[in-house]
Amino acid sequence: MAKNRLCMVGAGRVGRLHTRSIIERVGAHAEVVAICDPNQQTATELAADYGIELVCSSLEEALERQTYDGVVITTPTFTHRALALTALEAGLHVHLEKPMAMNLLECEEISAAAKLAGVALQLGFMRRFDRDFIGAAELLRSGEVGAPMIIKSLTHGPGLPPPWANDIRTSNGMIAEVNSHDLDTVSWFADSEPVDIHARVANFKGPDRGVFTQNFYDTLLATVTFESGAIASIAGVCPADYGYDSRVEVTCTKGMVEVGQTGPGGLASIVAGASQRGEAVFRSWRDRFAEAYVSEMVEFVAAIDGAPVRVGAVEGTRAVALVLAGTLSILENRTVRLTEVAAPSFVPSWQAAGKPGA
């Protein structure tokens, strides 16, 4: 059986991670045959490290020069729509990193294109591929611990995101770039549709780190209510200098489910990377979810061959809706219902301000 031919779009940290996973762990079934990135130095370095011959500055160029079965898109959020549509219209299967897109119109266009092409569209919510998170979801579905009542989810990142991600006009801010994972997780664990969200933010470290972008924040706390009656809280900090932190606690009618620790052995307290017990803390998302990222590529290749997609357009669109409602809540300091941002008349005003020429 011939190997699936993949094009890696984006040669940054996630692109490098997925390239390594495919070559080292899925090599019997797939191969990366092209690297695309407008930064030719970054693309050339990645290609050289893994013996990939074709380096292109754009997906269009790559499509002109070779044929593929699928693409893996790891570029900034504001590029997702155009790249995904180009790949889907070419009939290629797509793995698209989160967030799915900038707004619901873009999500709708991507979803429609995938359906029309009849191909797999997988979203990069790596928690969905993590053994412990999957186990928690299965336990919650079993009814053994009862129905979820309160879900507390957090993601704290160790460093500042790239400049484009600091600007809500080009990224929707930290609620999208960091806490999309939490928004997806609380919906997944609640097994219910979100009704509304209220988010509050603060900026503790921006000025000291040289970030003066309008509406930048490094600290977020949001609450989400669900149709089931469950209530979720989401906490985000970026940068959190002590390391990478991703944890969830679900209190149910018959018990409690907890996922994640601050390090392989857990920590009692943390100050600037050290703990009272001296145990290691996860330094990066690459460490915490190492096997989950491999599983993403394993399942994407399987989806190309006809297997079902674990997480796709429905989940990606839901998370973007929560991002938009959360951002509107931040800007207007109020609780925002999801129906407000789902209305056809809703246009994210902060994104319009960020368009070229605006």
Side-chain angles (χ1 to χ4, degrees), residues 172 174-176 179 183 196-202 217 219-225 232-236 321-338:
N172 289 316
M174 187 174 77
I175 194 172
N179 295 114
L183 297 172
D196 60 39
I197 183 171
H198 192 115
R200 302 190 71 171
V201 298
Y217 56 92
T219 305
L220 171 133
L221 185 62
T223 56
V224 180
T225 59
S233 70
I234 291 168
L322 280 164
V323 163
L324 296 176
T327 303
L328 189 61
S329 173
I330 293 166
L331 295 174
E332 298 187 357
N333 190 28
R334 66 180 179 88
T335 299
V336 175
R337 295 183 65 83
L338 271 292

Side-chain angles (χ1 to χ4, degrees), residues 55-132:
V55 174
C56 301
S57 60
S58 69
L59 177 56
E60 288 81 1
E61 178 189 353
L63 291 173
E64 289 176 358
R65 296 179 62 179
Q66 286 196 23
T67 59
Y68 312 93
D69 298 292
V71 300
V72 178
I73 299 173
T74 68
T75 55
T77 308
F78 61 85
T79 69
H80 284 186
R81 173 193 173 274
L83 289 168
L85 291 181
T86 296
L88 293 167
E89 288 167 2
L92 304 182
H93 302 274
V94 174
H95 171 88
L96 181 61
E97 279 302 317
K98 65 84 204 160
M100 183 174 174
M102 287 293 293
N103 54 58
L104 294 181
L105 176 59
E106 292 184 355
C107 289
E108 183 179 344
E109 291 176 314
I110 293 170
S111 300
K115 184 176 181 179
L116 181 64
V119 297
L121 173 62
Q122 176 177 287
L123 266 290
F125 286 118
M126 79 284 192
R127 292 184 181 185
R128 295 267 187 166
F129 300 85
D130 179 80
R131 180 191 62 186
D132 294 337

Side-chain angles (χ1 to χ4, degrees), residues 32 41 90 136:
V32 178
Q41 180 179 347

